[in-house]
Amino acid sequence: MQTTPLTTVRSATPADVHALARLLTDSFQPSDAWWQWTQGWVRSGLAQDLESRLTRPPASYRCLVATMSGFLAGTVEVAHRPLPHEWWWLPQVASPQDPLYISNLAVTPAWRRQGVASSLLQEVEAIARSLCHPRLYLHVMADNIAAVQLYQRSGYRLERVEKNWPLFNPRPSSKLLMVKVIM
Ligand SMILES: CC(C)(COP(=O)(O)OP(=O)(O)OC[C@H]1O[C@@H](n2cnc3c(N)ncnc32)[C@H](O)[C@@H]1OP(=O)(O)O)[C@@H](O)C(=O)NCCC(=O)NCCS
């Protein structure tokens, strides 16, 4: 695992799930009143999902945690995932032949702009190299300027712009599929 003077990156354990669920809901849920009302419910569902992924991990699944001075500073997950296709609504089962896909990258607000996300992405690249996977994929909303800048600066390039189905996601922005070729 990688250590810099400030950031330590390690694998998540089941003891982390509640803190991680809080970080993810705080980072990804809108802050309006309706979402605030559902937050406890969403958080406990997320904690259960995380616990099940950590205790019965799918092939090549990793969840990383970054700490700064001992405090939870950020997280990211990586796993095999089929890329979305025209028949997106059909159930898709991930297999080790699928590309490696990054999700749930989030940094605690107090620790942002201090290289935490960049350290997590570097560690994910090391994992992909160790698995001999030449590419890493991720999705980002086009209006998430901080994340788009982070990924561009980290060497990710636009693969394609995807439809954002308004029925399931009221956010008007489009969704970008980005890729980094690492070997
Ligand atoms: C996006 C996010 C993960 C960035 O984490 P971070 O630890 O602050 O990122 P880093 O410090 O490693 O930033 C590296 C580079 O990314 C870019 N960047 C990061 N945050 C930025 C911002 N708010 N505005 C513009 N550029 C930004 C900069 O180029 C930055 O380098 P610099 O600080 O030297 O200018 C963080 O803002 C976050 O958790 N956001 C909410 C969750 C989210 O949107 N996750 C991504 C889902 S796709």
Side-chain angles (χ1 to χ4, degrees), residues 1 20 23 42 48 57 75 90 96 105 116 135 179-180:
M1 289 279 123
L20 292 181
L23 170 58
V42 173
Q48 276 177 23
T75 185
L90 287 175
L105 172 66
V116 174
R135 290 184 178 75
V179 62
K180 181 168 182 180

Side-chain angles (χ1 to χ4, degrees), residues 28 105-107 112-115 117-118 144 146 149-151 153:
F28 291 113
L105 172 66
V107 173
R112 288 182 188 168
R113 296 309 283 269
Q114 295 179 61
S118 305
N144 188 346
Q149 297 258 27
L150 164 74
Y151 296 137
R153 189 178 151 149

Side-chain angles (χ1 to χ4, degrees), residues 63-107:
C63 177
L64 301 178
V65 166
T67 58
M68 298 269 272
S69 312
F71 293 98
L72 174 70
T75 185
V76 68
E77 290 174 77
V78 62
H80 292 292
R81 182 174 146 170
L83 295 178
H85 49 70
E86 229 182 308
W87 308 101
W88 56 272
W89 39 269
L90 287 175
Q92 295 181 316
V93 180
S95 86
Q97 283 70 48
D98 289 320
L100 280 178
Y101 181 88
I102 293 173
S103 62
N104 284 345
L105 172 66
V107 173

